[in-house]
Amino acid sequence: MNTNTSTIWVLGDDIDTDIIIPTDYLALPTIDDMKQYAFSPLRPDLAQKIKPNDVIVAGKNFGCGSSREQAPEIIKALGIKAVIAKSFARIFFRNAINNGLLLIENDQLQQIVIEGEQLSLQINHAISYKGTDYPITPLPDNLLEIINEGGLVNAMRRKNGLPPL
């Protein structure tokens, strides 16, 4: 897999789906319309600062709260390469995988990384930060295939000989 350098955005514990995308914006017509409001209750300008290939490093219980599928869709639409957190809410984890958003559990990085600095990510192998490698527990092949295809729908379309959406 690729190793890419990514800018780090640091968030805390218990980042719930209402922080990721407040209910007020769910009535907007598209994910692209909604994404500008991502994380706005916590950091109103964060969505505008995030660039493609950036990573979020967070604490425990990322994605808790409601099961809204728009939360991982919006993070992906912002161009986030991966969310690295101490732990993820169970439903958010599955929604993220189904939408092709890479999630990595790591209980060390949040305490040591500095926002705005760079890390390198070699999927299913390691995260490198300031010369230290932090091993990644590999995702099973079937989940990695879903992520690589951009989500469950595209993975199933590919298996059935259909073009991606």
Side-chain angles (χ1 to χ4, degrees), residues 54-82:
D54 288 355
V55 297
I56 292 173
V57 178
K60 63 182 168 80
N61 206 22
F62 189 92
C64 58
S66 73
S67 61
R68 67 182 63 146
E69 198 166 331
Q70 295 93 336
E73 287 179 306
I74 286 167
I75 294 171
K76 185 178 171 190
L78 288 171
I80 291 292
K81 179 183 181 85

Side-chain angles (χ1 to χ4, degrees), residues 2-6 8 55 81 84 109 118-123 126-130 132-134 136:
N2 280 352
T3 302
N4 291 16
T5 302
S6 302
I8 300 166
V55 297
K81 179 183 181 85
I84 303 164
L109 284 175
Q118 305 285 306
L119 62 70
S120 295
L121 173 60
Q122 188 175 5
I123 297 172
I127 299 162
S128 298
Y129 177 70
K130 289 192 171 185
T132 302
D133 285 346
Y134 299 87
I136 295 172

Side-chain angles (χ1 to χ4, degrees), residues 90-162:
R90 184 182 204 99
I91 293 173
F92 178 85
F93 184 88
R94 193 62 221 192
N95 281 339
I97 298 296
N98 286 345
N99 283 288
L101 176 63
L102 178 62
L103 303 182
I104 299 169
E105 286 192 353
N106 180 287
D107 62 359
Q108 301 171 4
L109 284 175
Q110 189 215 19
Q111 299 93 261
I112 59 172
V113 297
I114 297 171
E115 186 166 286
E117 290 190 344
Q118 305 285 306
L119 62 70
S120 295
L121 173 60
Q122 188 175 5
I123 297 172
N124 266 6
H125 180 64
I127 299 162
S128 298
Y129 177 70
K130 289 192 171 185
T132 302
D133 285 346
Y134 299 87
I136 295 172
T137 301
L139 288 171
D141 289 343
N142 64 322
L143 297 185
L144 194 56
E145 178 185 348
I146 291 169
I147 290 167
N148 288 337
E149 292 295 331
L152 182 60
V153 170
N154 282 339
M156 292 300 99
R157 288 181 65 84
R158 184 174 151 276
K159 281 188 185 274
N160 289 300
L162 299 170

